[in-house]
Amino acid sequence: MFTYRPSFFPTKLMIIGRGGTGSRLVPLISQFIKTCAWVTDPELVLIDDDIVEEKNLFRQNFIAQDVGRSKAEILAGRYSRAFNMNINSLQMRVENYKKFRAEANKEGTKEHELTQILTRFRTNSIIVLCVDSPQAVS
């Protein structure tokens, strides 16, 4: 649960899910953060395991040249360049918490990489879920 605190200045943002909502949110958040002088050294991380399919082009923030590529990587690259800021991507599915915890300590796994990111995100951060399956939040 989020409670407003006037002293809270988020500098880290993670968006999980790059579908209809998540893909449209990235440019808006990126532009907003870039215009906020009080956000120094922002860190954005985009997480999704999906690739762009032709059916995504009508509803999501992708173009025909993106078909077959990672949604998270495309948006991270596109808006890193557009707003001259560092946006990282991680191509993985967020679900099955027990399996995630089992893999979290194994170096070289995506679960381990996400665990390291989450450790950095313990303070001054916001995590936004834009997922399309209930398994992601269980």
Side-chain angles (χ1 to χ4, degrees), residues 20-40:
T21 303
S23 67
R24 300 283 179 193
L25 189 60
V26 174
L28 299 172
I29 292 288
S30 301
Q31 184 178 30
F32 174 72
I33 288 173
K34 190 62 178 181
T35 61
C36 295
W38 49 268
V39 178
T40 58

Side-chain angles (χ1 to χ4, degrees), residues 47-130:
I47 300 176
D48 197 301
D49 74 326
D50 206 1
I51 61 168
V52 178
E53 299 176 58
E54 196 168 322
K55 67 180 182 180
N56 302 138
L57 301 179
F58 301 106
R59 197 175 73 81
Q60 299 175 11
N61 190 16
F62 299 103
I63 58 175
Q65 291 87 338
D66 297 336
V67 172
R69 297 178 52 212
S70 162
K71 289 181 177 182
E73 288 177 11
I74 289 168
L75 294 174
R78 183 176 295 154
Y79 295 105
S80 287
R81 290 185 304 274
F83 297 109
N84 194 28
M85 61 190 302
N86 190 23
I87 302 175
N88 297 304
S89 66
L90 185 57
Q91 187 173 359
M92 71 175 292
R93 186 166 190 81
V94 177
E95 69 177 1
N96 193 340
Y97 185 74
K98 287 182 184 177
K99 179 184 175 232
F100 172 80
R101 292 306 310 157
E103 298 290 317
N105 295 319
K106 295 181 184 175
E107 288 193 33
T109 64
K110 290 183 180 180
E111 290 81 4
H112 182 69
E113 188 176 347
L114 180 57
T115 300
Q116 291 178 317
I117 292 169
L118 289 172
T119 300
R120 290 195 314 269
F121 273 60
R122 285 201 172 133
T123 61
N124 293 350
S125 62
I126 296 175
I127 299 174
V128 180
L129 291 176
C130 299

